[in-house]
Amino acid sequence: MALLPVRKGSNHTAEVFPHDPFGELEHMHRQLSELLKSWRAWPSLLGEGFTPPADVEETDDAYTVEIELPGVKREDLDIEVSGRRVSVRGERKEKERTGILRRQERTVGRFAYEVTLPGEIDDGAVQADLDDGVLSLRLPKPEHERPRKIQIR
């Protein structure tokens, strides 16, 4: 792609500079990346850590929460249920390295995920499973929250 000339200066002393839109986009991308990296550090400084991605699904009889936690071990997780609130906290530990780390994009450190479900749950029947880096929580609804079929006489 040819570079477009840009005139800078007053009309009397105009100089022609090549305009590189892709270079400007790359510069803005670098600045935005640095800004996001600095923002990502704030929660860890406050002791909160990062929030992993999750899906929450509702069926007739239960809520299902699936949280992506690759590299996290069972013993590094803490799951609490209180009323309609579900809280998962833990830590993704830094891997011991022998070489020089040239680039790091995976998030490590403490994390927290909290969700308030729209209805009550039977906290005595909650099931948790960690498989292939995904924590799956099954949170059954109590009987009085489940829809019932009413037959007409």
Side-chain angles (χ1 to χ4, degrees):
M1 176 177 161
L3 300 177
L4 302 173
V6 173
R7 296 193 182 274
K8 293 190 178 181
S10 67
N11 289 340
H12 302 293
T13 60
E15 296 180 43
V16 177
F17 294 94
H19 178 66
D20 182 11
F22 294 111
E24 289 180 19
L25 283 173
E26 186 175 331
H27 177 71
M28 286 188 337
H29 180 263
R30 280 194 305 269
Q31 287 179 326
L32 184 59
S33 293
E34 291 302 316
L35 179 64
L36 291 175
K37 283 180 188 175
S38 68
W39 282 352
R40 197 180 314 168
W42 278 104
S44 61
L45 293 175
L46 299 173
E48 297 173 10
F50 66 96
T51 302
D55 294 333
V56 179
E57 181 180 356
E58 180 180 2
T59 61
D60 286 343
D61 63 337
Y63 298 97
T64 303
V65 178
E66 293 181 332
I67 307 171
E68 291 184 12
L69 297 172
V72 176
K73 298 177 181 172
R74 284 174 171 76
E75 57 268 14
D76 294 331
L77 287 171
D78 181 32
I79 304 167
E80 292 181 10
V81 177
S82 177
R84 299 180 344 188
R85 182 175 220 68
V86 178
S87 173
V88 178
R89 299 188 191 294
E91 183 176 7
R92 182 181 297 143
K93 295 182 179 173
E94 179 75 39
K95 175 181 157 184
E96 186 176 322
R97 304 193 186 277
T98 56
I100 298 170
L101 182 62
R102 299 283 183 185
R103 185 175 192 162
Q104 182 174 11
E105 295 183 4
R106 297 186 300 165
T107 308
V108 295
R110 306 250 348 126
F111 63 85
Y113 177 81
E114 289 188 6
V115 64
T116 300
L117 299 171
E120 293 181 38
I121 57 175
D122 181 2
D123 58 356
V126 173
Q127 298 172 343
D129 184 41
L130 183 64
D131 189 31
D132 292 333
V134 177
L135 175 65
S136 299
L137 301 173
R138 185 172 188 287
L139 305 138
K141 296 177 181 178
E143 283 296 325
H144 67 273
E145 288 275 327
R146 296 180 189 183
R148 295 180 304 164
K149 296 248 183 198
I150 307 296
Q151 292 193 359
I152 302 172
R153 295 186 200 182

